[in-house]
Amino acid sequence: MSKVVFLSVLLSLVVNLFSAWFVPQTASAATLRQAATARNFLIGSAGSYWRFTNDASYQNLLANEFNLVTPENEMKWVATEPNQGKFTFYAADQMVKYAQSKGMRIHGHTLVWHQGLPAWVQNGNFTRDQLIAIMKNHIQTVVSRYKGKVQEWDVVNEAIEHKGNGLRDNIFLRVIGPEYIALAFQFAHEADPDAILYYNDYSTEIWPLKSSTQYSLLQGLVASGVPVNGVGLQMHEYTDTAIPLGTYANELSLLGNLGLRVSITEYDASGIQPASKTPDVRASIQAQNYSNALSACLSVAACKSFTTWGLADPFSFQPTFVPLMRDASMNPKPAYNSVLNTLQTF
Ligand code: XIL
């Protein structure tokens, strides 16, 4: 390189560096993550190691758009302890490594659930003491592995009967009794006293009986000193109309008033009779639902995060419902724009 060329390259480098530093940073946020981070809010998505292995564009999009990630299946019991006492953490470890490399917070999901549960737990004919010991070992092995890395956990998932009529009949209720819930929180807390521990369930924002059952359950746990810190509202919506902001806000503040942190943990919004509306109308109702739920969260101090259950429609657990913010080509839908706009302006 001649001296002249070298000097001109050097000069342009200096000019570029100076202008990058000097230009005022007024550009508006381009991604959900930037908009959420600017207001100190957590915007999340379910993400899956099994889906994103070898897919750099999925990995980058997820990290560009979200500052929180929930491993969709990798931390469930069937994934982490498929055989009794034989733990397999490869996929969960990859999720944690990925999230850490991208500076994302991790919402651990989930320790005790009637689904994603291996047959050996369901059909083992264990005594009460045995099942308590099995549950303790499972929870403590998983939580302590990720101590200081996974900041929050769905400890118990969907313990309430589908429509809210008491507790759900599952192997833990049958063998241990209702105390399995308090025990699960106690075990998780012993393994990581700093982790934020959630109870997580669905549809309480729209079904009054389920809302009151969940409220009583949590009120009882809090009153007896059980280490529960938060409640996750999944919010998988099935509707052809917009659910009002107030409906969402009522449920969020009800639980916030118990002194609990509240999070929207699995948001998506599906039409139930899609044929009755044009695609544009459906997309705009969906967008309204997303922004109403998010606005409600932003208006309730206890509500700390808004997570959608997947990056794009094909990755949804119900792909035919097209319930997410991006379409099959990964392009943003009106729901994406309404979420971005809500984060920027609400
Ligand atoms: C779903 C996953 O998205 C699917 O990939 C899996 O096959 C089944 O579980 N409520 C929950 C989530 O708490 O764990 C569920 O995730 C969706 C409903």
Side-chain angles (χ1 to χ4, degrees):
M1 198 186 291
S2 79
K3 226 178 189 175
V4 176
V5 174
F6 175 75
L7 281 176
S8 73
V9 168
L10 194 66
L11 186 68
S12 78
L13 201 69
V14 169
V15 168
N16 281 340
L17 276 177
F18 180 74
S19 54
W21 167 75
F22 188 70
V23 170
Q25 301 295 305
T26 51
S28 64
T31 70
L32 305 185
R33 181 174 183 162
Q34 288 167 341
T37 304
R39 62 186 298 164
N40 198 20
F41 185 71
L42 293 166
I43 186 89
S45 174
S48 172
Y49 168 73
W50 287 309
R51 283 185 177 134
F52 75 42
T53 329
N54 302 325
D55 186 344
S57 70
Y58 176 111
Q59 291 182 30
N60 290 332
L61 192 57
L62 195 68
N64 284 341
E65 294 291 353
F66 301 101
N67 52 16
L68 176 88
V69 64
T70 304
E72 187 171 349
N73 292 303
E74 290 74 0
M75 292 179 170
K76 289 174 181 171
W77 196 316
V78 71
T80 52
E81 195 186 2
N83 297 295
Q84 187 171 3
K86 307 241 176 325
F87 287 85
T88 52
F89 286 118
Y90 185 76
D93 284 355
Q94 298 309 306
M95 287 294 303
V96 171
K97 251 196 237 164
Y98 162 79
Q100 285 187 322
S101 76
K102 303 286 190 186
M104 301 164 92
R105 186 180 173 93
I106 303 164
H107 183 91
H109 176 82
T110 178
L111 300 168
V112 178
W113 187 30
H114 64 285
Q115 287 182 34
L117 194 61
W120 70 264
V121 182
Q122 307 254 28
N123 308 326
N125 287 318
F126 298 112
T127 64
R128 184 172 187 275
D129 284 352
Q130 283 171 333
L131 193 57
I132 290 174
I134 283 167
M135 190 175 79
K136 179 176 185 181
N137 185 50
H138 178 76
I139 291 173
Q140 298 200 330
T141 304
V142 177
V143 172
S144 57
R145 183 175 186 91
Y146 299 114
K147 188 172 182 315
K149 295 180 177 167
V150 171
Q151 297 84 353
E152 49 193 61
W153 282 100
D154 289 331
V155 176
V156 177
N157 195 30
E158 302 179 355
I160 296 169
E161 187 272 333
H162 177 59
K163 285 279 183 181
N165 194 11
L167 290 180
R168 182 187 291 275
D169 175 45
N170 66 26
I171 190 72
F172 303 104
L173 184 70
R174 277 199 296 277
V175 177
I176 300 174
E179 315 82 271
Y180 86 87
I181 298 173
L183 286 169
F185 281 97
Q186 190 54 47
F187 296 151
H189 182 68
E190 285 167 14
D192 185 356
D194 297 324
I196 299 172
L197 304 180
Y198 281 79
Y199 174 74
N200 194 52
D201 216 322
Y202 61 86
S203 297
T204 59
E205 70 286 3
I206 49 165
W207 292 338
L209 175 63
K210 196 159 186 178
S211 174
S212 64
T213 302
Q214 178 174 256
Y215 183 82
S216 308
L217 171 67
L218 289 162
Q219 192 182 35
L221 294 174
V222 169
S224 34
V226 173
V228 54
N229 314 110
V231 51
L233 305 179
Q234 296 183 8
M235 296 194 181
H236 296 286
E237 309 297 2
Y238 303 87
T239 175
D240 292 320
T241 55
I243 297 167
L245 191 159
T247 302
Y248 287 122
N250 285 346
E251 178 67 3
L252 293 165
S253 51
L254 177 79
L255 296 158
N257 290 341
L258 280 175
L260 295 169
R261 186 179 166 110
V262 189
S263 287
I264 297 177
T265 49
E266 304 186 15
Y267 198 83
D268 56 17
S270 308
I272 38 177
Q273 288 180 302
S276 69
K277 305 225 162 42
T278 65
D280 282 358
V281 170
R282 293 201 302 269
S284 92
I285 293 168
Q286 183 176 58
Q288 190 64 56
N289 273 316
Y290 270 83
S291 77
N292 286 355
L294 174 59
S295 304
C297 181
L298 293 170
S299 69
V300 171
C303 191
K304 302 296 186 198
S305 59
F306 177 86
T307 294
T308 72
W309 204 242
L311 184 59
D313 289 333
F315 307 133
S316 166
F317 73 124
Q318 299 163 311
T320 54
F321 282 100
V322 294
L324 294 169
M325 290 189 288
R326 287 176 184 270
D327 65 18
S329 312
M330 306 300 277
N331 290 324
K333 294 158 61 177
Y336 175 92
N337 296 322
S338 75
V339 166
L340 182 59
N341 187 46
T342 301
L343 286 170
Q344 288 172 329
T345 62
F346 184 79

